[in-house]
Amino acid sequence: MTTPTRRSARVTKAPERLAAPAATPGATTPRKRAKQPAGAASAFASPLSSRAKRQKTATRGRQQNARRAVADDDDDDDNESDGEESGQDEDADESQNNSSSSSADDDDDGDSDFGQREGVGRLRGTKQTPRKVTAPKGKQARAAKPRAQHGSNTAAGSNAQPSLLLNAILDEHMAVSQVVVDWIASYRRSSETDSATTELINFLIRLSGCPGQITSSDLYEVEQIESVLGTLQEQAIAALKRGGGDGEADGDDMLMGRSKEQRRFRRNALQFVQRLVVDGQHHLVFGDVSEESGLSAFVEIVLQWLVSMAASHYRPFRHVATLFALAMQSALVGVRARIAGELQTTHRQLDAESARRRAPAAGASRLRDRVAVLAQQDDVAAAAFKALYDTVFVYRYRDIHATIRAECLVPLASWCRGYAPAYLNTEHLRYLGWALNDRDARVREAALAAALGPLLLGKPAQLTAGAVGSGVGAPA
């Protein structure tokens, strides 16, 4: 008997390994399952697990529906409670004659209900955020703030008295020269001299942003000038604050603005002062001269008010008085330069008459009289300039505000250039040198522009937009 091969032995053993176990009595034979892919085995391995997932999903849906129903009920309850509270508030309003407390309660109820409505919104999956109200900033905030209007349409107070000079200069169709002629004609009438001078002082007061005014009886009360200005200052600050201004900061906006209309008004106002002194010099500067002070009656009374305003604690008063004094000084320098030219011509004519062998006595005598008159006029103009220089310029040059300090520099350079024999000296040039070392950059720039413009080249100072300067210009 031959030995079977290894393969045949393996065949014979296979039925033994694959043989099914013996069936027990009463047991059923399990059904043979189809072979599943490896990837799908995990998904369908247990039919019980998929059924449990479907039951869990259905349970979750039922819970969400229940929550939504509860949220809807809560919302309806809140609306009903709000309606009841609003009805109670309306009854309270009727009983209390629409008092403000009921409206405040309604606002509080609305705020308390907002949190509940926000919670409901979260349950519904919607986002409810309160509207944010932001305050205006920058230019919008400044535009929203009311500001005081000046001039003929002033909001400094509806009780402000009208100023004839101010309205005339603000009028675009009125020439400054015509305003000067009308005022001088009014001043020359003896019955209107005081009223014309009072109108001029009120013009300065109105330029300072003050709605008040003085009367002819207050004009010559020298001892009461400070008290009158104090009262006017309080009125100006109160009126400007009522109009939305910032008190002292907005007092002289008419002379400090950068708009086209404001620059034109500033130029016309300063030109009016200069033309007033130049065209009315024979009546305002050289007429009715006092022997004690060497000043005319007009210069004396105006000087008293200018000095008091320039020494005031109210900055707009100091600023306006400084500009007015500087314009008068520039006009006086021009008058002195004209007188010097006429004196030179008259001396030359007198020398020519004296050189003749048979010179007529009447012609030489007339020229000598003319020289004497011109010399006297030069002395009066020099005295008026020095009075303004010593009482206004010297003190305002050291003012605490850089704007007022810078205002003094351009006119100073124009004086030195306009009448060099009298003002181009160390007594006046030292102020320009000191201003070059000022702590404020705007003042240093104004000093440099004044030295390079009016002083050296005889041209108006060219200042940048951020700098300040009087802009009075060369003497008329």
Side-chain angles (χ1 to χ4, degrees):
M1 181 177 180
T2 61
T3 304
T5 62
R6 188 175 182 179
R7 182 175 180 182
S8 60
R10 194 175 291 174
V11 171
T12 56
K13 292 180 179 179
E16 296 179 359
R17 291 197 305 268
L18 297 176
T24 57
T28 59
T29 304
R31 189 176 297 176
K32 186 177 181 179
R33 295 179 60 185
K35 187 177 181 180
Q36 300 292 340
S42 60
F44 299 95
S46 177
L48 294 178
S49 61
S50 60
R51 188 181 301 115
K53 288 182 179 180
R54 287 194 298 271
Q55 294 178 355
K56 185 176 182 180
T57 302
T59 304
R60 184 181 301 174
R62 287 193 296 270
Q63 291 177 356
Q64 290 180 356
N65 294 333
R67 290 178 182 176
R68 291 176 182 176
V70 172
D72 293 337
D73 295 340
D74 292 341
D75 196 328
D76 295 338
D77 294 340
D78 292 338
N79 294 334
E80 292 178 0
S81 62
D82 291 341
E84 294 176 359
E85 291 175 359
S86 62
Q88 294 176 0
D89 291 337
E90 291 177 358
D91 296 337
D93 292 340
E94 295 178 357
S95 62
Q96 298 178 4
N97 295 326
N98 297 327
S99 62
S100 60
S101 60
S102 61
S103 61
D105 296 338
D106 293 338
D107 296 338
D108 295 339
D109 294 340
D111 294 339
S112 62
D113 294 338
F114 176 78
Q116 299 177 359
R117 289 192 292 270
E118 185 179 8
V120 173
R122 288 200 185 100
L123 291 175
R124 294 180 179 179
T126 59
K127 183 178 182 181
Q128 297 181 1
T129 57
R131 180 179 297 177
K132 183 182 295 184
V133 180
T134 58
K137 298 181 180 180
K139 295 182 178 179
Q140 296 179 357
R142 290 192 296 270
K145 180 182 178 182
R147 292 184 62 85
Q149 302 293 330
H150 302 282
S152 58
N153 300 325
T154 178
S158 58
N159 299 327
Q161 299 295 330
S163 175
L164 299 179
L165 280 177
L166 183 60
N167 294 336
I169 294 177
L170 285 172
D171 190 0
E172 298 179 357
H173 304 286
M174 180 68 71
V176 177
S177 59
Q178 185 61 40
V179 179
V180 172
V181 171
D182 295 342
W183 189 92
I184 293 176
S186 177
Y187 181 83
R188 293 185 61 183
R189 290 191 289 268
S190 59
S191 60
E192 300 181 9
T193 300
D194 294 346
S195 61
T197 309
T198 304
E199 179 64 27
L200 183 63
I201 301 301
N202 286 329
F203 173 65
L204 299 181
I205 295 173
R206 290 297 301 276
L207 287 180
S208 304
C210 180
Q213 64 179 3
I214 65 172
T215 60
S216 299
S217 59
D218 300 329
L219 187 62
Y220 298 100
E221 296 292 338
V222 180
E223 298 178 355
Q224 303 296 329
I225 291 179
E226 294 184 1
S227 61
V228 171
L229 290 178
T231 304
L232 294 174
Q233 172 183 341
E234 295 176 358
Q235 295 177 1
I237 295 177
L240 289 171
K241 289 183 177 180
R242 287 197 303 269
D246 194 15
E248 181 176 326
D250 296 336
D252 50 355
D253 279 353
M254 299 179 68
L255 300 176
M256 291 296 296
R258 296 181 181 178
S259 64
K260 182 178 180 180
E261 292 77 10
Q262 290 173 327
R263 291 197 303 267
R264 181 185 62 83
F265 174 79
R266 176 191 172 104
R267 182 176 63 254
N268 291 342
L270 297 178
Q271 184 181 1
F272 166 77
V273 178
Q274 288 184 283
R275 294 292 298 271
L276 194 67
V277 175
V278 174
D279 297 348
Q281 56 183 293
H282 297 288
H283 306 284
L284 304 179
V285 181
F286 306 135
D288 195 11
V289 177
S290 174
E291 296 181 357
E292 297 180 359
S293 61
L295 303 176
S296 65
F298 172 80
V299 173
E300 282 184 345
I301 188 62
V302 171
L303 180 63
Q304 292 172 357
W305 281 93
L306 288 180
V307 171
S308 300
M309 293 179 66
S312 174
H313 295 287
Y314 186 51
R315 182 184 61 81
F317 278 165
R318 298 201 312 272
H319 191 196
V320 173
T322 302
L323 290 177
F324 197 95
L326 293 174
M328 287 186 63
Q329 289 178 275
S330 297
L332 290 172
V333 170
V335 170
R336 292 198 65 188
R338 179 192 59 80
I339 292 175
E342 291 188 10
L343 273 174
Q344 185 177 3
T345 302
T346 305
H347 278 295
R348 187 168 59 251
Q349 293 175 356
L350 184 58
D351 294 340
E353 289 290 337
S354 301
R356 295 181 181 180
R357 296 182 178 179
R358 295 181 180 180
S365 177
R366 186 174 62 255
L367 291 175
R368 293 189 185 93
D369 294 340
R370 181 59 180 170
V371 169
V373 170
L374 292 175
Q376 183 181 3
Q377 291 179 353
D378 184 70
D379 294 340
V380 173
F385 180 91
K386 184 172 178 57
L388 292 169
Y389 185 85
D390 294 340
T391 57
V392 178
F393 177 86
V394 172
Y395 294 99
R396 293 311 102 215
Y397 170 84
R398 300 191 298 267
D399 196 275
I400 189 174
H401 286 273
T403 301
I404 300 179
R405 296 200 303 271
E407 295 282 12
C408 301
L409 300 177
V410 175
L412 176 62
S414 67
W415 303 338
C416 297
R417 177 77 180 190
Y419 192 29
Y423 303 110
L424 189 60
N425 49 40
T426 56
E427 181 181 357
H428 301 89
L429 290 177
R430 59 182 179 177
Y431 291 100
L432 286 176
W434 292 338
L436 292 174
N437 296 321
D438 193 274
R439 61 180 179 274
D440 195 286
R442 297 174 299 171
V443 180
R444 298 194 299 269
E445 182 181 358
L448 186 60
L452 297 178
L455 183 60
L456 298 180
L457 303 178
K459 299 180 180 180
Q462 301 294 331
L463 299 175
T464 60
V468 291
S470 69
V472 174

